[in-house]
C-alpha cells in the first residue's frame, strides 16, 4: 500500500531523515519506534505532505528527496490536502484539536472532503459508539476536554476522514496508563475494521504489543525492522533500542 | 451642550457601524492567513472607482437607484476577484515571511494609487447615489441633520457584518476558515486547500472593503481621489490594533470606539473636522503603549 524509498529530509542544513525505507502492506499494522528526535514525526509529516507546505509564520521549508508511493502512485510532490483526499489520514502529535470549535464541529472538519452525507452521518454514529464520551461532549469547546478526551477526539476526527491508511503520531503521549490502554485498544479495533495503520510511538512496549511489523528509527536512519519475535532475538537491538 | 451630546451619539454611532465594516475585512484576512494587508485601503479606493466606472455604463438604467445598488454589488464582486488574483500572484509566494508581506502589500497600494492617477488623472470623480434618490435627502433627528444615505450606510454595514458572522459560524467554508485560523496544519490535514481558502478570504475581505469604500464615500465626501486609501488604512489599522488583531468582535467594538472618538473631536474641537485624521493614530499609539495585544487580542485566533 505504502512504499517509501530513500526518503531524505533536510531541515535548514541539518539532516532529519537519511535515506529511509519503509513498506506498509495492505491491511497491516506497522509501528515505528525510536527515541525523541530520531525523526519519527518528520517521517509522518513527510508522508502526509504537511512537512513541505507553505504556511503563515513558517520560515523554514524543509527539502525532501526520495520517493513515496501510495497504491503505486508517487505522492511526495502532492499538497497535504491532495494526500488527505487519497485516503492517507494523519492524526498529528499532541492531538491538535481545533480549540475554539466544539467536539461536533471538530468531527465535521474530519469529514471536510467527503460528499457522501449519509455515510458521514453513519460514521458519526460509529465514532460515538467507539468513544461514547465524545457524544456527551458534542457541544463542548474542544479546549475544555481532558487530554485523554482530546486524544479520542483526534482519532475520531481522523476516522471521520474515512482513512485507507491511518498515520498516528504518539497517541500515548501524556496519558495515564489506563487511558493509554483504552486508546490502544481502540486503535486495534480500528485496525481490525480494515484500516491499515502506521503507528509512531516512543513507548516501545505499546508498539511491540500491537504492531505486526516494527521499524526502529534512530538519528534519522532506519536501524532495522522485523516482527517482534525477530527483533527480540537480537540482544543488541533489544538492549540498545528497545530497552528491554 | 445637550445638542453636542446628541450629535456625538447619533453621528458617532452611524459612523462607527461603517468603521466596523471597514476594519472587518482587514481583521478577517489577518486572522485567517496571517497577512497584514496594507493594501486594504486600496481595495476601498478601488471599490469607489469601480462604482464610478461601472455606474457610468448604466446596466439597469443610468442614474437610477436600482442601477446604483446593482453596481454596488457588482463592484464588490469585481474587486473581490481582482484581490484574489493579486493575492495569488504577489502575497501567496511569500507567505510565512511577515516583512515580505508588508513590503508586497505596500507596493500593491502604491501601484494602485499610480494606476488610478494614470487612468483617472488627479480628478475627484463623484461617488454618490443618484440625485433624485431619497438617500440624498436629509432628515432632522432630535435637532441633528442627517442625510438618509448616512443612515442607510450604517444599516447596510451592520447587515453585512451580521452576514459575515453567519458565514463564519454556519457555512462549511466559514468553519474551514475558523479551523485554519486556529491551527493551519491540522486544517490542512483535514483536506482543506489553504491556498484556495486564502484566495477566497482575500476576495471576501476586499469585497467588504469595497462595500465600506462605496458606503462611506457616498455618504460623506461624495468624491473619490487617488489618495483616499491612506486614511481608511490608518483607521482599519487603529481599529484592529485596538480590538485585537484577528478578532472579529474586536473589530466591531474597536470600530465603535474609534467612531465615537472621531465624532467627539469633530463636534467639540473647533475646526475638529480638519484634525480628525490624527485620532486613529493617537489611539494606536495609546493602545500599543498600554495594551499591545488589544482588547480581545489572542493574536492569531479568530473567534466566533
Amino acid at each position: 500500500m505504502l512504499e517509501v524509498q530513500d526518503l531524505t529530509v533536510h531541515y535548514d542544513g541539518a539532516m532529519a531523515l537519511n535515506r529511509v525505507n519503509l513498506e506498509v502492506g495492505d491491511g497491516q499494522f506497522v509501528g515505528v519506534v525510536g527515541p525523541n528526535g530520531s525523526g519519527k514525526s518528520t517521517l509522518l509529516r513527510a508522508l502526509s505532505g504537511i512537512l513541505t507546505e507553505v504556511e503563515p509564520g513558517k520560515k523554514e521549508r524543509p527539502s525532501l528527496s526520495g520517493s513515496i508511493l501510495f497504491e503505486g502512485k508517487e505522492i511526495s510532490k502532492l499538497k497535504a490536502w491532495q494526500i488527505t483526499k487519497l485516503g492517507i489520514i494523519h492524526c498529528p502529535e499532541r492531538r491538535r484539536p481545533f480549540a475554539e470549535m466544539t467536539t461536533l464541529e471538530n468531527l465535521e472538519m474530519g469529514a471536510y472532503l467527503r460528499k457522501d452525507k449519509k455515510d458521514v452521518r453513519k460514521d458519526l454514529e460509529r465514532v460515538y459508539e467507539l468513544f461514547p464520551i465524545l457524544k456527551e461532549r458534542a457541544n463542548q469547546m474542544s479546549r475544555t476536554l481532558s487530554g485523554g478526551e482530546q486524544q479520542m477526539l483526534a482519532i475520531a476526527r481522523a476516522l471521520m476522514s474515512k482513512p485507507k491508511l491511518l498515520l498516528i503520531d504518539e497517541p500515548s503521549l501524556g496519558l495515564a496508563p489506563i487511558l493509554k490502554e483504552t486508546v490502544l485498544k481502540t486503535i486495534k479495533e480500528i485496525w481490525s475494521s480494515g484500516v491499515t495503520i502506521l503507528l509512531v510511538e516512543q513507548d516501545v512496549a505499546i508498539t511491540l504489543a500491537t504492531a505486526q511489523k516494527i521499524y526502529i528509527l534512530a538519528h534519522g536512519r532506519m536501524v532495522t525492522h522485523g516482527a517482534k519475535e525477530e527483533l527480540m532475538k537480537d540482544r543488541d537491538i533489544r538492549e540498545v533500542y528497545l530497552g528491554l | 451642550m445637550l445638542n453636542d451630546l446628541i450629535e456625538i451619539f447619533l453621528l458617532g454611532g452611524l459612523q462607527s457601524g461603517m468603521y466596523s465594516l471597514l476594519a472587518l475585512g482587514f481583521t478577517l484576512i489577518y486572522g485567517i492567513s496571517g497577512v497584514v494587508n496594507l493594501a486594504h485601503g486600496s481595495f476601498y479606493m478601488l471599490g469607489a472607482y469601480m462604482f464610478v466606472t461601472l455606474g457610468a455604463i448604466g446596466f439597469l438604467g443610468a442614474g437610477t437607484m436600482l442601477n446604483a445598488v446593482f453596481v454596488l454589488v457588482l463592484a464588490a464582486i469585481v474587486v473581490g476577484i481582482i484581490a484574489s488574483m493579486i493575492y495569488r500572484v504577489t502575497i501567496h509566494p511569500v507567505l510565512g515571511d511577515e516583512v515580505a508581506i508588508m513590503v508586497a502589500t505596500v507596493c500593491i497600494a502604491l501601484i494602485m494609487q499610480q494606476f488610478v492617477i494614470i487612468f483617472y488623472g488627479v480628478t475627484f470623480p463623484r461617488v454618490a447615489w443618484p440625485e433624485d434618490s431619497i438617500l440624498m435627502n436629509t432628515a432632522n433627528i432630535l435637532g441633528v441633520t442627517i442625510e438618509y444615505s448616512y443612515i442607510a450606510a450604517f444599516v447596510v454595514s451592520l447587515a453585512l457584518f451580521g452576514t459575515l458572522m453567519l458565514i463564519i459560524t454556519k457555512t462549511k467554508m466559514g468553519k474551514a476558515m475558523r479551523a485554519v485560523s486556529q491551527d493551519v496544519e491540522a486544517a490542512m490535514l483535514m483536506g482543506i486547500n489553504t491556498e484556495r481558502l486564502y484566495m477566497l478570504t482575500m476576495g471576501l475581505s476586499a469585497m467588504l472593503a469595497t462595500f465600506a469604500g462605496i458606503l462611506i464615500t457616498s455618504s460623506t465626501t461624495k468624491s473619490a481621489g487617488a489618495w483616499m486609501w491612506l486614511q481608511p488604512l490608518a483607521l482599519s489599522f487603529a481599529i484592529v490594533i485596538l480590538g485585537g488583531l484577528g478578532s472579529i468582535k474586536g473589530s466591531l467594538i474597536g470600530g465603535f470606539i474609534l467612531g465615537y472618538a472621531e465624532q467627539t473631536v469633530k463636534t467639540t474641537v473647533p475646526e475638529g473636522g480638519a484634525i480628525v485624521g490624527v485620532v486613529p493614530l493617537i489611539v494606536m499609539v495609546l493602545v500599543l503603549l498600554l495594551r499591545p495585544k488589544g482588547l480581545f487580542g489572542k493574536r492569531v485566533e479568530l473567534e466566533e
Side-chain angles (χ1 to χ4, degrees), chain B residues 226-241:
Chain B
W227 288 272
M228 67 182 284
W229 59 277
L230 254 174
Q231 181 66 14
L233 176 63
L235 253 174
S236 335
F237 222 115
I239 292 168
V240 301
I241 282 178

Side-chain angles (χ1 to χ4, degrees), chain B residues 11-45:
Chain B
L11 293 181
L14 294 176
Q15 171 168 270
S16 299
M18 300 177 222
Y19 282 5
S20 298
L21 180 69
L22 170 63
L24 178 61
F26 190 75
T27 218
L28 185 72
I29 186 70
Y30 177 80
I32 290 165
S33 70
V35 169
V36 176
N37 179 22
L38 299 178
H40 191 66
S42 307
F43 295 135
Y44 172 100
M45 173 180 74

Side-chain angles (χ1 to χ4, degrees), chain A residues 45 55 96 100 108 112, chain B residues 172 175 182-183 185:
Chain A
R45 289 167 61 81
E55 283 171 36
R96 309 280 286 266
E100 302 293 325
E108 285 171 1
Y112 181 76
Chain B
K172 192 170 174 179
K175 284 178 187 176
Q182 289 168 31
D183 188 334
E185 278 195 0

Side-chain angles (χ1 to χ4, degrees), chain A residues 3-19:
Chain A
E3 211 181 322
V4 178
Q5 284 161 355
D6 288 335
L7 182 67
T8 302
V9 172
H10 284 275
Y11 265 114
D12 222 1
M15 198 181 271
L17 289 179
N18 188 353
R19 300 176 78 82

Side-chain angles (χ1 to χ4, degrees), chain A residues 45 48 50 53-57 59 81 84 90 96 98-101 105 108-110 112-113 141 157, chain B residues 33 95-96 98 169 172 175-176 178-179 182-193 198 298 301 304:
Chain A
R45 289 167 61 81
S48 66
I50 206 79
E53 277 286 354
V54 190
E55 283 171 36
K59 290 253 156 52
W81 69 271
T84 298
H90 181 178
R96 309 280 286 266
F98 300 113
E100 302 293 325
M101 293 172 106
E105 283 175 325
E108 285 171 1
M109 289 316 296
Y112 181 76
L113 283 177
M141 287 292 165
R157 189 176 63 178
Chain B
S33 70
L95 206 65
E98 287 94 349
T169 47
K172 192 170 174 179
K175 284 178 187 176
R178 277 158 61 209
Q182 289 168 31
D183 188 334
V184 57
E185 278 195 0
M188 286 174 177
L189 293 178
M190 302 298 114
I192 294 172
N193 182 348
Y198 292 155
K298 270 190 295 177
E301 229 98 358
E304 282 180 41

Side-chain angles (χ1 to χ4, degrees), chain B residues 135-162:
Chain B
L135 290 182
M136 300 299 278
N137 295 344
T138 54
N140 192 312
I141 303 171
L142 300 171
V144 185
T145 311
I146 304 174
E147 205 177 271
Y148 281 119
S149 68
Y150 210 62
I151 300 169
F154 169 79
V155 173
V156 175
S157 293
L158 287 197
L160 285 169
F161 204 103

Side-chain angles (χ1 to χ4, degrees), chain B residues 138-221:
Chain B
T138 54
N140 192 312
I141 303 171
L142 300 171
V144 185
T145 311
I146 304 174
E147 205 177 271
Y148 281 119
S149 68
Y150 210 62
I151 300 169
F154 169 79
V155 173
V156 175
S157 293
L158 287 197
L160 285 169
F161 204 103
T163 309
L164 189 96
M165 292 297 281
L166 272 180
I167 290 177
I168 285 201
T169 47
K170 299 282 181 247
T171 68
K172 192 170 174 179
M173 181 180 81
K175 284 178 187 176
M177 285 175 168
R178 277 158 61 209
V180 166
S181 84
Q182 289 168 31
D183 188 334
V184 57
E185 278 195 0
M188 286 174 177
L189 293 178
M190 302 298 114
I192 294 172
N193 182 348
T194 49
E195 180 182 335
R196 212 181 63 188
L197 193 77
Y198 292 155
M199 284 173 71
L200 270 171
T201 309
M202 183 54 98
L204 209 54
S205 161
M207 282 176 84
L208 293 169
T210 301
F211 281 122
I214 298 170
L215 291 171
I216 293 176
T217 313
S218 65
S219 61
T220 55
T221 60

